Amino acid sequence: MPEVAIQTQKLTRKFGDLTAVDGIDLQVAAGQFFGFLGPNGAGKSTTIKILTGLLAPTSGSMQLLGVDFAANPVEVKRQIGVVPEGMGLFERLTGSEYLKFVGRMYGLDRATTQRRSEELLDFMQLADRPKTMIADYSHGMQKKLALAAAVIHGPRILFLDEPFEGVDALAAGALKALLARMTERGTTIFLTSHVLEIVERLCSHVAIIHKGRLVAQGSLEELRAGISSEAGSKTTLEQIFLSIVGKDGTERPQLEELSWLT
Amino acid sequence: MVDVARSVNLFEQIRLVSALRWRILRNSLRKKNNRLDLIGLIFAGVFSGIFVIGLCFAFYAGAYAFLSQSRLEWMALLFWAIFLFWQLFPVFVAGFGASFEFRTLLRFPLSLRAFYIIGLAYGFADFSALASICWLLAMTAGAAVAKPGVLPAMLLIVAAFMLLNVTLERLIGSWLERLLARRRTRELFLGLFVLSMVSLNFVSPLMQRYGASARPVFLRLLPYLSWFPPSLASRALTAVIRLQPQGFLLSSALLLFYLVLLSVLLWRRFAAQYRGEELSETAAPARAVVRPTMAATDDGPDRLSLLSPQVAAIVRKEFRYLTRNGFAYLTLLMPPLLILIFSMNSAGWHLTRGGKGVSAEIFFPGMMAYLILILMAPAYNSFAYEGRGIQTYFTAPVRFREVFLGKNLMLVSVLAMEIALSLAMLVWRVGLPSAHMLVATCAAIIFTVVGQLTIANWSSITFPRKMEFGQMRGQRQSGMAVLVAFASQILMGGISAVILFTGNWTGNLWLPAEAFFFLAAVAVGGYFASLDELTLLAEKRKEALTEALCR
């Protein structure tokens, strides 16, 4: 039986009357490239925030790599890397300074931090502006730097909230290659993205959250089989997604509603 | 088929923009502190109204008196006063952040002509313009009552003067907008502004010393001012009263020349904006031909090796933030500068030689208390500049006690440096206090700083408020954080003052030093004991903290 990287039991998060995450039971095996999908406001980012320690759950529990998060948060955090929703960058540092800061925060020695940050800046094509502060980076550059910071300590689980948003095609290709290499080496990647084509291409397993509830979870093949036996392997992830999310009456907006465009 | 929007006339566009500005103002009052904002706005409105109307009477009386007593040259003073207010007031306001972004209108189908006229119309809606127009009208009324025949010429001159002022104000505004669009220049501007305000304190002692010798230089420069618009407006009016048509025509032509020149410059600026001038923070893209060497390597010996890697990383990060915050630089510059100013103002230039003024026994602890008051204030909202970076502290494998240790260590280092600098300044200006006072004050510094750090750390977690580098408007600290800072500063300062005086009351001059050493030891113990509690509190309050700082 494969090692479980992420496991949650009845994970719930409420904001006043709103239940953003409603008792979800996730199970992600080690080494999986896991896509976490859902419409806007479904609870994806809230879930990632809980799993990475940025948000406390209202109830429920979670274990990462078999360690209970609530009991030993520092030990868990040492094993994970995160690109949070807002990227979490210190904008008054240069890219190089930020990577060195993060490396040292994760307990890497100075020489290793120095070497890895140089390599990562080169790989991310950020090395040509050593004196530019992060505040002056473009959105795409900030995203690449956030990803570099998330992997500098060689995490065993990587949480990525919309990692490809605002990143150009060239850089996205390099990032995908990096992520693929990491999964080959056994890193578990937990990714949210609105671009379903990317998820379909990269992820072996997918979970769909809708209105705070986990409505589907499994490998792509399992999900395809779940919605239609006829469609078979030709069913795209977008079709699966629309089919599952649309079950409760949530429909795609109809153009006919715009009278002046008819 | 796609509908094409009908063209909207200029007045309709101006009306729409006015309505937009009104809605922006109205919606801004809906925020959390809307009641306080509204009360503040009403107070500001009432006081501004009193200020404007009061000065209207002054300008009316001034114009009436100068014209009826035939002191026509003095009219230039009134024009200069209005000119300087109209041009300088918006500059001071601009330094504290941007208000409505006029350029955002460019996404709409506006012609360049409409853009220009709306831009000018905007200029008339500013407080400085409205106030100045009121004062100019009051001046016109005063002049017309004193000499009714001057009214048509006065109206013409005032109209041209208004147009010139609004054009110049918009021009300066658009240059400033370009300047302040970049963070570095914005900080520099803010720094220069604050520095110039502080420098005003030097005016009095400098005037005392150099006033007499500077007067002839000032008088020699005065005639050159007559070629500037306010003097030209005054000269045109004088020429009308003295029935000198040539003088009137020359002054009016020069005034008109200024107006045309400024209008051309403003048209060029607005045209550049209209074409989509780039004002963003991001540097122009550059293709790197050769990979440059890394700016700074960490190959040298680790000067912070005594600290844990996490604490050392936070100290380094804090130091880098400090070196990149122009405003923080200014705060650091302020204590020695203020010691210089206070010593000059309270005792004159020859304090040490003449032996007059305050004694070092009072001045030294007083100045140290003032220094701590200034430098400790940011500690009560120490995460203000972290922004989204605060998330890193929660996702990284560190406990918050390490974060506090790193931050506090940096602050204490800065304080130590500032105290040393201020001490040097004090020795130069006032002299050293007695040994028992010196030792007691140093121990008191340890007690008050460490004691306040514990409270400040709690306040930083409990009442966080995000701040932006290089901006002051909209950069309000949490009211509670200010209150906590104020209360703890008063408490610590009060305790210290009472203990300092016990030496004299009891006749045991070393008693305050002994008492402060005891209190300092208690404060240090309390500080370290509080770190674990604060770590737990930070964990409990992480959502509020990230929400406040990431917005």
Side-chain angles (χ1 to χ4, degrees), chain B residues 17 25 54 77 135 143 166 188 192 228 232 256 282 328 349 358 426 461 485 489 505 510 533 535:
Chain B
V17 172
L25 174 71
L77 276 181
W135 297 333
V166 81
L188 191 70
L192 287 174
F228 286 95
L232 287 172
L256 208 65
T282 311
W349 272 107
V358 291
L426 275 167
I461 301 174
Q489 299 252 25
W505 294 338
W510 286 96
E533 289 302 315
T535 301

Side-chain angles (χ1 to χ4, degrees), chain A residues 8-14 18-26 36 42-43 46-47 50 57-61 209-215 217:
Chain A
T8 70
Q9 294 90 24
K10 304 280 177 216
L11 205 61
T12 302
R13 173 65 211 206
K14 291 182 179 178
L18 176 81
T19 306
V21 175
D22 194 358
I24 65 173
D25 296 312
L26 264 174
F36 195 55
T46 306
T47 308
I50 296 172
T58 309
S59 61
S61 60
I209 184 171
H210 184 40
K211 294 179 180 171
R213 289 173 177 275
L214 206 60
V215 288
Q217 184 175 193

Side-chain angles (χ1 to χ4, degrees), chain A residues 144-156:
Chain A
K144 288 194 279 185
L145 185 68
L147 188 65
V151 301
I152 193 167
H153 58 294
R156 291 179 64 196

Side-chain angles (χ1 to χ4, degrees), chain B residues 452-471:
Chain B
Q452 281 196 62
L453 277 178
T454 309
I455 303 168
N457 288 341
W458 171 80
S459 166
S460 298
I461 301 174
T462 315
F463 311 112
R465 187 65 66 91
K466 185 183 178 181
M467 312 268 274
E468 294 284 353
F469 283 97
Q471 280 187 23

Side-chain angles (χ1 to χ4, degrees), chain B residues 463-489:
Chain B
F463 311 112
R465 187 65 66 91
K466 185 183 178 181
M467 312 268 274
E468 294 284 353
F469 283 97
Q471 280 187 23
M472 280 188 79
R473 198 163 71 175
Q475 299 285 292
R476 224 171 20 199
Q477 296 270 17
S478 152
M480 282 306 292
V482 173
L483 201 67
V484 169
F486 186 66
S488 62
Q489 299 252 25

